Amino acid sequence: MSSSTNTQAEATGTTHPPTGIEGDISLDPSWSATAMLLTDNTKRAFGITIHELERGRAVLSMRVRDDMANGFGITHGGMVFTLADTAFAYACNEADTAVVASGVDITFTRASHAGDTLTATAERRWLSGRNGLYDVTVADQEGRIVAEFRGRSLATNRPIPLPSDTRTDGTTATEVRA
């Protein structure tokens, strides 16, 4: 971003729906982000919602709860980082193997507070072989940029971990028996 007055809406030209799309996403064995969605305990614990998901891009949001504020009454940097890192994870898990972070940097640009809704937009900038580079912008509900995050990814040679009750066609053993 060229100035602190830029907003996420200006940067992306999009807005997100008020509810998530998790229920609309089914398991695709060729896309590791869809498998991650089935067992992502961190996303659930933090109340993170997915609004857009495509290979190389993800838009997620999180409402900042009172227990996410630090001793100064502002959103703890670790909470902002968690949202940005989660968006990065969904954007970079584009293929049929698990992709992990090899390094990240974050710059906090303004404070947010309990009650704010933060939105992280992650986009691939570069992908070559097993390495990738992704930028994540975190903005508040007014579109003011709260943080800029850059993640470096490394594609592993490990297959996507599937939940034990999930078959590769996206159905569960329970659904097949029913």
Side-chain angles (χ1 to χ4, degrees):
M1 297 296 132
S2 59
S3 76
S4 61
T5 60
N6 286 10
T7 66
Q8 181 191 24
E10 290 169 345
T12 64
T14 62
T15 59
H16 59 77
T19 58
I21 61 167
E22 286 90 336
D24 299 332
I25 301 170
S26 58
L27 177 64
D28 176 346
S30 72
W31 188 6
S32 56
T34 65
M36 187 172 65
L37 177 63
L38 298 172
T39 58
D40 191 345
N41 296 321
T42 300
K43 185 182 84 54
R44 277 190 290 280
F46 282 80
I48 297 172
T49 302
I50 299 174
H51 299 284
E52 297 177 36
L53 182 61
E54 58 189 73
R55 294 174 197 261
R57 186 172 194 281
V59 179
L60 284 66
S61 70
M62 175 182 76
R63 184 160 178 85
V64 179
R65 302 183 313 241
D66 289 339
D67 63 344
M68 295 175 168
N70 66 20
F72 297 114
I74 60 177
T75 308
H76 189 287
M79 303 301 147
V80 177
F81 181 92
T82 297
L83 174 62
D85 188 51
T86 303
F88 165 51
Y90 279 96
C92 74
N93 272 279
E94 311 183 44
D96 62 353
T97 60
V99 177
V100 297
S102 62
V104 301
D105 297 295
I106 191 165
T107 301
F108 301 104
T109 58
R110 72 177 303 119
S112 60
H113 302 86
D116 285 344
T117 298
L118 303 180
T119 299
T121 301
E123 296 180 312
R124 178 187 347 103
R125 296 294 178 223
W126 170 80
L127 184 64
S128 180
R130 296 176 54 197
N131 299 294
L133 186 65
Y134 298 77
D135 286 335
V136 183
T137 298
V138 179
D140 66 14
Q141 67 278 359
E142 302 297 323
R144 297 174 298 208
I145 296 173
V146 172
E148 291 287 351
F149 174 109
R150 174 157 275 190
R152 295 171 299 283
S153 68
L154 175 68
T156 70
N157 59 3
R158 292 180 287 153
I160 352 178
L162 297 174
S164 59
D165 192 35
T166 304
R167 298 161 26 115
T168 57
D169 65 359
T171 61
T172 64
T174 306
E175 292 170 333
V176 170
R177 288 191 293 266

